[in-house]
């Protein structure tokens, strides 16, 4: 390819011509934003984000379509471009209707991913839910009990009925963890040795300590009280937050800290200065707001007049208090409620709350007020104290005045004004003033550099919690004034992030806030959107009866039961976008700091299509019309299920005539989802709640056909939530079909077997591994000992890994002494071995798009091997010609130059005549057949006996078409023949290999024959020698040297005679010649049916699910699926690819472990500590598989079909398969 | 041609039955003549013909006496027919009261030069013989019999012909690019997807003289080496399509189309593709997608159609008027053509005169004529008598040129300098009663609606601009709206994918350029100076003038006008929907708009 030199952002770059600016920029690490481009698609330049400046061009040029030219000067990042891109994004977002994250999460001061943890709870992933909560809140046990629930007020469910009981769910997750044993804390990073002092052990301090400790810093908490907890301990009464629970939650945090100093006060025992001298690199002040505000009335210093917070603290400290019978509590906040209710519990008989406004204005939560009322607290609204009177040196009455509400004040609440002359007197024994708290700043006085803000609190930069002093941070009530626990926690976490940055010498700055698109406030939501959502009543716990609870301090509210929690999760509307973690639109919106209100105007609002497709959810409100889905469906898949409708602003992506997607030609390949840059197309997750998930991805290989697509299993906890594929995959380039995209997640629907089973009187009963293995091993061994190995047989599933296949045949041959090896899915294996020396594809998938002719024989690629059909489609688009020969119309016929309909009989006929024509008219590749094949002349002689006239006798095919096909093949320079091994007879395969040999198209670069097989590791099964007549490495069993070599290596004698194949084994079972059988596979019974157990011989089954109905095998060992297995698969282009276990097998053992354990009971101990140790043995004993050890994740090795022009036959020459030898075996 | 009839001593009656004539009832007039003329033993020939250009006078009937005197009757109805026949054809006395005065014809025609329209309104568009008689297909014969393709291209290049579709790219250069491109098959496309509101040049040419377009296409095909041609015509032009179909059949029959044309070994055939009326399909890449059977959405150029066009093959696209120029150029020579026009814009341009102009219709004028000349000399000034305010030139993609720039010569570069574009030839005249915000809103509404939806700026940007204009017109304009409009406009112009988006802001930008004060009046004073925007005006009765006749109250659809008989009436502003009906019915002009 010619090279050009361009200047990209001032840097000269040499690159291939015929590349776009976007491609060159990406290769050189220059990021150009684009929303409509996907490397799999032709560029279209629709989104207008990739515009760049090209010197000399009339205007900005789209980088995705503009090809580089020599000496082109390109700028990708000017101010003008940034503005234009920002405008493009703002325009797109002005018509983007959706919630990036749910309103509950936005409302939460700590920003907890509420929708995420509810979804996890819904799926039973309680610990995962707690982990997610603890990312933002280290005190869920506490907060789950006392949170004022900002989230619930914004819950979209308010539009429908009542909000989701979010906080109860949080408490449920935390309580479940508590009951399971040790409280979960995240794993701290390795120690940094850097020290941080946290002054104040309340929620802000604890949160900061937790998150700093996780960063590996050494944390010292200084607390003036005897115990940690701050207001949690000394402000919240026991009946709302039991101290035992608090202690446990605090202990989980202090476990991570270096030192806790209790009873030490700032100012008295240390100063900020002294702490710094002590070696603390940063100090976090979380002093709280513990000083009570004064009533400001005469007599407030009398004995018997207490502060609310002081009173609660004394109670918490266990001090004996005499409050008498009649108590007046002044104030309307939660502290007032707490004080009143605590007073009740201290046996006061008459507790009255005096509040200067009316009930509506009370700041205390409704729940608290209601509960206080239930317990018998009285309320004196619209009244304020004016004087406390004393008798005997203690308060005995309180003079109050009635108030009236005037106009609203600055807080928006109506200002109470006294009504002159309305004074009245209450007789009281105790007055508790709970009208507010403030910072006690006396401790800071020593540090004379420290300045407080106007309100008397510590002034901080709100985004970073920095004070004016270097290295000193502050948060919680001491900076904000009295607030909620969750706000304090949020502040503590924010400070921890800043402190970490400070310590690491980074710039202290808030992390960029991701862009959030929202549908608006509750009032802006159209209730119609939720019309069809089921009404479900909010889950309610039953608190202790007021009469009981008012007498004691027991926790009054129980938590949700598991059942209630699961039911409550169903109520969540999952408002947040499922694509939030991957959305490119959101990423760019964040990067370009857009203002989505700038161009607010008409906005689409369409129904979400949740149920129009079994696998796909379409939210047209989030579509940005990039057209990627339309194009991938059309260009790559050739389906065209999606298209554009309407014009102008009303343009939409939808199937023709607005048909539901599920009723179109859609094949559920998931490609549209994979390419959609936003949340407009998302997988329909078959879990109780759809997410969003931030999954862990495990790369592995698809087991559902022999193509071996590279998958990424997206895991949340122990659930596969969806499947993606890496774009750089050499096999499938990020493309998937329905099977790969959607089947793995359905593994969870299987009723998995988790313990071994043994047969007792016609039913299966659970057994221990030892018992079952011993029974299986002994049973098989006894037959071998008694009747000989040839009375035993082994059937394998082609879904097992190479390692498992290897062990299985080794076990059969060396331990059981049998070559009776069959395969469940491939009873009849057509083989290329004797013709070409190896039974596998002779070329690679990569040769398909590069070919100039593709011949597809006998398979419906679109139906059975969709990913191969994509490659064929690509090849045809590039100019390759296509010939299809199949019994039925197939999806790619429309692309074909010649399309012939043949069945098995006419197929043989047709192929013969093609060969005959080639030989008769001397069209064979003379050079090739002379140098690379052994028996062309014999074969030619034989073929000449066939008359060309037979051409015409082939039914349903015009001779002219056949001749055209022959000429296309003869003229092609890089032809590829694609065959489905499952649908071909040995006779056809022989003829096809003859055809390719005669035209000289086997065993050379970029041409050849591709043999597709249906089961995932069918090629591996063949290569590993799970065959009656071949040893591992496709070596004939008759090869004495190999047999001897393996016998030595395996310390066992390999039977010399070929064994029975699958059909032979089944016949043997029926005739009684086979007396014992071992069946190994994943859903093995499903593949073959359990009819093989009908004849009562001794049978052992390794399987993932239990057989449903009798007849039962004698022993069932619970096996593993591909998602639980390590090892390798070999795909149909001989590519050895590594699987990774994403999940743990339910019964704890992978299949190779089961086989190794079974071998022990067969008296043939195998010692394989790891899969790698099996690979070592394979690499040593099987030359083809020398590369297996290098096949790590993301790397694959392909074994070579032929070396240096030599076929793997004794003289290196390929053989034409004699026509007579295989004459119509039909 | 009229001479032929004159010599034969026959009367000739031409009736205009192009769309403009038909709409005015031309078919009935034609039939009335047909009935009468066959009945009588008059020595007269009746001919249907296309558009003569004076559409405002349709149904237009031309009577040519055996002596060769031409008389034009305007706005003829079937009722006139007996009188015309008896008085004029029999008695030899033209009916003066229905005639178009000679001075009107003279002033309409004086500044015109008819090349494209030479046969329009003269020949019978359904008759190839008429076309042949007027010199048709002689250019094709000349080319096929002796001019090599490269020389044809050279002639077209030297003529200075530029694409009449709007962009004004040199036709010769375009042909030469297509000629040079390699491909196994080449195509010629005639873009007859005329979609600008108020433009009907191409329709008239296709209806009135279809063969001239076909001839131009065959010559283009010969020049670039194409063998197949398509005419992409909107389905809303049924008469044009009908005439094209007839013309195609006739041309094939006579050997001007199909295999071995005129026995010269050149094969070329043309088929018609009907478009469904998407404006964007006038954009060449979208047009080609539409011909290919896909949704018409523009793509990025390069590659240009000349390199990779229809089905990836080299393709030459020109519009109707461009092709119609070609035969004339070949016959009369490049020099004759380039003698007409300005230095960089040669030849003539057909304009469709519409809006508030006295003589709406088609005019073909030499390049370089000024706007004022077209409006006043050819067009006869405004139809309302109010002062001429501006013209919108170039359709929705063009812009407004104010009366103050009336001396701007019409050529590609001068027009572009004003901020408008030459466009395909729509010329909408506005008088002082036109609100410029309303004009901008009208055109933007059109482009917004016709955007293909592919690229962000055009799809959403134009909508947001529209919303701002709506706001301003509704009296809800606010500080910063003009700047927001300008910012959006410049980005939409720069960053849109195709011509539709790139030119969509032009009406806004030009009205802002020349009439910013009108926008400001809407926004800050909440006033519409032209008294057009309903939200900003009120109808009031001037008590001194109102005799209390009650006509306004009788006609008011919402009962806003009321009063006592013989005393001044009043209008309830709360109820009034500002339809203006009262004002139009008031005989004493007692109602004012404020």
């Amino acid at each position: 390819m010619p090279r050009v030199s361009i200047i990209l952002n001032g840097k000269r770059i040499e690159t291939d011509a015929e590349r776009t600016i976007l491609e060159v920029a990406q290769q050189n690490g220059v990021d150009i934003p684009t929303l409509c481009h996907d490397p799999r698609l032709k560029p279209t330049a629709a989104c207008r984000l990739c515009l760049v400046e090209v010197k000399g061009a009339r205007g900005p040029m789209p980088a995705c379509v503009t090809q580089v030219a020599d000496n082109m000067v390109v700028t990708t990042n000017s101010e003008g471009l940034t503005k234009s891109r920002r405008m493009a994004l703002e325009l797109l977002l002005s018509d983007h209707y959706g919630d990036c994250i749910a309103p509950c999460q936005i409302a939460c001061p700590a920003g907890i991913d509420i929708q995420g943890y509810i979804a996890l709870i819904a799926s039973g992933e309680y610990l995962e839910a707690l982990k997610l909560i603890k990312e933002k809140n280290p005190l869920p046990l506490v907060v789950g009990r006392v949170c004022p629930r900002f989230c619930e007020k914004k819950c979209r469910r308010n539009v429908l009925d009542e909000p989701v009981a979010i906080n109860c769910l949080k408490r449920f997750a935390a309580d479940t963890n508590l009951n399971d044993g040790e409280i979960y804390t995240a794993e701290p990073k390795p120690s940094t040795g850097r020290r941080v002092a946290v002054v104040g052990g309340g929620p802000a301090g604890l949160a900061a300590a937790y998150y700093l400790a996780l960063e590996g810093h050494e944390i010292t908490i200084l607390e003036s009280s005897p115990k940690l907890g701050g207001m949690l301990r000394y402000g919240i009464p026991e009946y709302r937050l039991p101290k035992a629970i608090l202690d446990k939650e605090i202990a989980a945090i202090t476990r991570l800290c270096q030192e806790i100093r209790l009873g030490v006060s700032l100012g008295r025992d240390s100063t900020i200065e002294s702490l710094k001298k002590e070696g603390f690199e940063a100090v976090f002040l979380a002093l709280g707001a513990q000083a009570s505000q004064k009533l400001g009335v005469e007599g407030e210093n009398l004995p018997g007049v207490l502060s609310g917070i002081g009173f609660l603290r004394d109670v918490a400290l266990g001090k004996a208090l005499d409050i008498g019978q009649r108590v007046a509590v002044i104030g309307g906040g939660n502290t007032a409620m707490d004080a009143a209710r605590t007073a009740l519990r201290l046996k006061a008989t008459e507790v009255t709350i005096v509040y200067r406004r009316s009930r509506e204005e009370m700041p205390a939560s409704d729940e608290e007020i209601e509960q206080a009322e239930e317990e018998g607290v009285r309320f004196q609204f619209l009244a304020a104290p004016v004087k406390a009177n004393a008798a005997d040196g203690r308060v005995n009455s309180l003079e109050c005045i009635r108030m009236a509400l005037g106009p609203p004040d600055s807080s928006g609440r109506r200002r109470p004004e006294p009504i002159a002359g309305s004074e009245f007197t209450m007789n009281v024994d105790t007055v508790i003033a709970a009208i507010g708290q403030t910072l006690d700043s006396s401790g800071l006085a020593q540090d004379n550099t420290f300045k407080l803000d106007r309100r008397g609190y510590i002034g901080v930069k709100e985004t970073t919690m920095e004070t004016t002093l270097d290295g000193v941070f502050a948060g919680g009530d001491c900076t904000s004034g009295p607030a909620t626990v969750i706000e304090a926690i949020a502040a503590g976490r924010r400070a921890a992030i800043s402190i970490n940055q400070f310590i690491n010498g980074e710039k202290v700055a808030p992390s960029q806030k991701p862009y959030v698109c929202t549908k608006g406030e509750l009032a802006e939501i159209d209730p119609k959107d939720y019309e069809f959502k089921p009404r479900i009543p909010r889950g309610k716990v039953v608190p202790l009866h007021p009469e009981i609870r008012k007498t004691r301090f027991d926790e009054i509210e129980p938590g949700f039961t598991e059942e209630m929690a699961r039911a409550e999760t169903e109520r969540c509307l999952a408002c947040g976008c499922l694509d939030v973690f991957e959305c490119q639109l959101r990423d760019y919106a964040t990067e370009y700091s857009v203002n989505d209100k700038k161009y607010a105007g008409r906005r689409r609002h369409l129904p979400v299509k949740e149920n129009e497709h079994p696998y796909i959810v379409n939210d047209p409100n989030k579509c940005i019309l990039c057209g990627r889905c339309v194009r991938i469906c059309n260009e790559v898949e050739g389906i065209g299920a999606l298209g554009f409708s309407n014009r102008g602003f009303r343009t939409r992506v939808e199937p023709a005539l607005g048909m539901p997607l599920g009723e179109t030609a859609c094949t559920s390949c998931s490609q549209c989802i994979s390419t959609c840059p936003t949340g407009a197309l998302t997988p329909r997750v078959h879990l109780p709640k759809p997410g969003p998930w931030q999954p862990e991805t495990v790369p592995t290989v698809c087991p559902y056909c022999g193509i071996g697509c590279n998958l990424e299993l997206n895991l949340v906890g122990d659930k596969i939530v969806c499947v993606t594929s890496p774009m750089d995959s050499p096999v499938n380039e990020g493309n998937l079909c329905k099977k790969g995209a959607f089947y793995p997640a359905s593994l969870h629907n299987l009723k998995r077997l988790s313990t071994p089973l043994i047969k007792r009187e016609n039913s299966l009963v659970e057994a221990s591994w030892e018992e079952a293995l011993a029974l299986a091993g002994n049973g098989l061994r006894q037959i071998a000992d008694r009747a000989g190995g040839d009375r035993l047989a082994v059937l394998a599933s082609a879904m097992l890994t190479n390692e498992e296949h290897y062990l299985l045949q080794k076990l059969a041959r060396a331990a059981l002494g049998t070559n009776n090896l069959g395969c469940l899915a491939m009873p009849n294996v057509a083989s290329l071995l004797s013709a070409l020396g190896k039974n596998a594809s002779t070329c690679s998938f990569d040769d398909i798009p590069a070919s100039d002719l593709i011949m597809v024989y006998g398979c419906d690629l679109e139906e059975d091997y969709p990913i191969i059909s994509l490659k064929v489609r690509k090849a045809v688009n590039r100019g390759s010609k296509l010939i299809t020969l199949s019994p039925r119309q197939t999806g790619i016929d429309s692309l074909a130059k010649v399309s012939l309909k043949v069945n098995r009989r006419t197929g043989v006929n047709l192929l013969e005549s093609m060969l005959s024509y080639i030989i008769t008219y001397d069209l064979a590749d003379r050079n090739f057949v002379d140098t690379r094949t052994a028996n062309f002349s014999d074969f030619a002689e034989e073929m000449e006996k066939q008359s060309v006239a037979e051409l015409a006798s082939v039914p349903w095919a015009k001779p002219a078409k056949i001749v055209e096909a022959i000429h296309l093949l003869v003229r092609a320079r890089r032809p590829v023949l694609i065959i489905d091994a499952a649908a071909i007879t040995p006779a056809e395969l022989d003829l096809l290999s003859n055809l390719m040999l005669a035209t000289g198209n086997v065993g050379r670069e970029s041409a050849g024959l591709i043999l597709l097989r249906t089961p995932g590791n069918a090629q591996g099964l063949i290569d590993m020698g799970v065959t009656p007549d071949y040893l591992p490495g496709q070596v004939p069993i008759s090869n004495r040297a190999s047999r001897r070599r393996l016998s030595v290596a395996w310390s066992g004698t390999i039977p010399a005679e070929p064994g029975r194949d699958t059909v032979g084994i089944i016949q043997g079972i029926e005739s009684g010649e086979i007396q014992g059988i071992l069946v190994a596979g994943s859903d093995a019974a499903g593949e073959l049916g359990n009819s093989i157990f009908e004849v009562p011989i001794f049978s052992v089954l390794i399987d993932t699910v239990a057989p449903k109905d009798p007849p039962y095998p004698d022993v069932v060992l619970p096996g593993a699926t591909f998602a639980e297995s390590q090892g390798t698969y070999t795909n149909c282009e001989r590519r050895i690819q590594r699987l990774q276990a994403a999940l743990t097998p339910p019964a704890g053992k992978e299949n190779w472990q089961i086989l190794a354990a079974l071998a022990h009971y067969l008296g043939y101990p195998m010692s394989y500590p790891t899969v790698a140790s099996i690979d070592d043995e394979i690499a040593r004993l099987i030359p083809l598989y020398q590369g297996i050890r290098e096949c790590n994740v993301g790397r694959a090795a392909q074994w070579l079909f032929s070396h240096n022009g030599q076929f793997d036959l004794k003289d290196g020459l390929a053989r034409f398969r004699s026509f007579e030898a295989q004459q119509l075996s039909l | 041609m009229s001479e032929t009839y004159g010599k034969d001593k026959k009367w000739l009656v031409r009736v205009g039955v192009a769309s403009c004539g038909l709409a005015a009832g031309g078919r009935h007039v034609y039939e009335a003549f047909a009935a009468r003329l066959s009945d009588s033993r008059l020595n007269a020939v009746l001919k249907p013909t296309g558009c003569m250009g004076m559409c405002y006078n349709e149904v237009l009937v031309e009577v040519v006496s055996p002596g060769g005197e031409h008389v034009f009757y305007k706005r003829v109805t079937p009722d006139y027919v007996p009188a015309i026949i008896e008085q004029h054809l029999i008695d030899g006395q033209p009916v003066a009261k229905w005639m178009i005065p000679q001075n009107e014809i003279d002033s309409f025609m004086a500044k015109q030069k008819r090349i494209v329209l030479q046969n329009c309104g003269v020949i019978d568009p359904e008759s190839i013989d008429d076309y042949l008689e007027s010199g048709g297909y002689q250019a094709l014969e000349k080319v096929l019999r002796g001019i090599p393709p490269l020389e044809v291209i050279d002639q077209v290049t030297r003529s200075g012909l530029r694409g009449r579709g709007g962009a004004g790219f040199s036709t010769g250069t375009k042909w030469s690019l297509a000629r040079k491109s390699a491909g196994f098959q080449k195509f010629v496309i005639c873009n007859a997807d005329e979609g600008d509101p108020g433009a009907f040049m191409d329709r008239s040419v296709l209806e009135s003289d279809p063969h001239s377009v076909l001839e131009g296409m065959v010559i283009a095909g010969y020049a670039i080496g194409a063998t197949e041609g398509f005419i992409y015509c909107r389905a809303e032009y049924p008469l044009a399509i009908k005439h094209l179909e007839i013309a195609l059949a006739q041309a094939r029959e006579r050997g001007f189309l199909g295999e071995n044309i005129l026995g010269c070994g050149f094969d070329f055939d043309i088929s018609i593709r009907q478009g469904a009326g998407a404006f964007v399909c006038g954009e060449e890449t979208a047009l080609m997608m539409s011909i290919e059977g896909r949704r018409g959405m523009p793509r990025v150029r390069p590659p240009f159609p000349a390199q990779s066009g229809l089905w990836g093959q080299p393709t030459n696209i020109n519009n109707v008027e461009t092709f119609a120029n070609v035969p004339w150029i070949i016959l009369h020579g490049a020099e004759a053509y380039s003698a007409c026009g300005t230095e960089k814009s040669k030849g003539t341009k057909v304009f469709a005169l519409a809006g508030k102009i006295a003589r709406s219709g088609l005019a073909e004028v030499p390049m370089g004529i000024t706007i004022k000349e077209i409006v006043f000399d050819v067009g006869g000034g405004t139809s309302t008598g109010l002062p001429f305010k501006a013209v919108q030139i170039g359709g929705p993609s063009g812009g407004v040129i104010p009366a103050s720039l009336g001396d701007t010569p019409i050529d590609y570069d001068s027009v572009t300098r004003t901020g408008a574009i030459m466009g395909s030839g729509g010329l909408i005249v506005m008088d002082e009663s036109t609100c410029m915000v309303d004009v901008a809103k009208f055109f933007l509404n059109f482009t917004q609606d016709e955007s293909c939806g592919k690229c962000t700026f055009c799809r959403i940007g134009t909508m947001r601009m529209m919303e701002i204009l709506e706001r301003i017109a509704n009296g809800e304009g606010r500080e910063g709206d003009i700047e927001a409009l300008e910012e959006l406009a410049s980005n939409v112009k720069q960053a849109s994918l195709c011509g539709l988006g790139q030119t969509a802001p032009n009406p806004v930008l030009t009205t802002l350029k020349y009439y910013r004060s009108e926008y400001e009046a809407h926004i800050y004073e909440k006033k519409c100076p032209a008294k057009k925007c309903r939200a900003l005006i009120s109808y009031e009765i001037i008590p001194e003038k109102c005799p209390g006749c009650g006509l306004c109250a009788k006609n008011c659809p919402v009962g806003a006008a009321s009063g006592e008989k013989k005393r001044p009436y009043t209008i309830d502003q709360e109820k009034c929907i500002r339809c203006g009906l009262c004002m139009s019915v008031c005989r004493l002009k007692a109602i004012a708009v404020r």
Side-chain angles (χ1 to χ4, degrees), chain A residues 48 599 602 646-649, chain B residues 295 450-451 467 470 495:
Chain A
R48 315 309 284 173
Y599 298 110
R602 262 159 256 192
N646 300 335
R647 260 184 259 161
F649 188 69
Chain B
R295 177 185 163 97
E450 291 291 346
S451 159
E467 286 168 341
E470 280 174 352

Side-chain angles (χ1 to χ4, degrees), chain B residues 460-524:
Chain B
I460 312 175
T462 54
M463 172 53 105
R464 299 298 174 236
M465 288 174 67
M466 243 266 288
E467 286 168 341
I468 296 175
L469 289 173
E470 280 174 352
R471 203 156 72 206
I472 294 174
N474 282 335
E476 293 154 8
R478 45 188 187 238
E479 176 93 49
D481 272 354
I482 293 181
E483 291 71 24
L485 263 182
E486 283 172 329
E487 195 192 357
L488 274 164
S490 76
N491 276 281
V492 170
K493 213 172 150 72
Q494 259 219 324
S496 288
L497 192 151
C498 81
L500 194 158
Q502 285 161 6
T503 57
N506 283 352
V508 178
L509 285 173
T510 50
T511 49
L512 265 175
K513 183 172 173 187
Y514 300 117
Y515 300 96
R516 201 181 180 95
S517 62
E518 282 194 32
Y519 280 83
E520 287 165 351
H522 280 77
I523 298 172
Y524 302 112

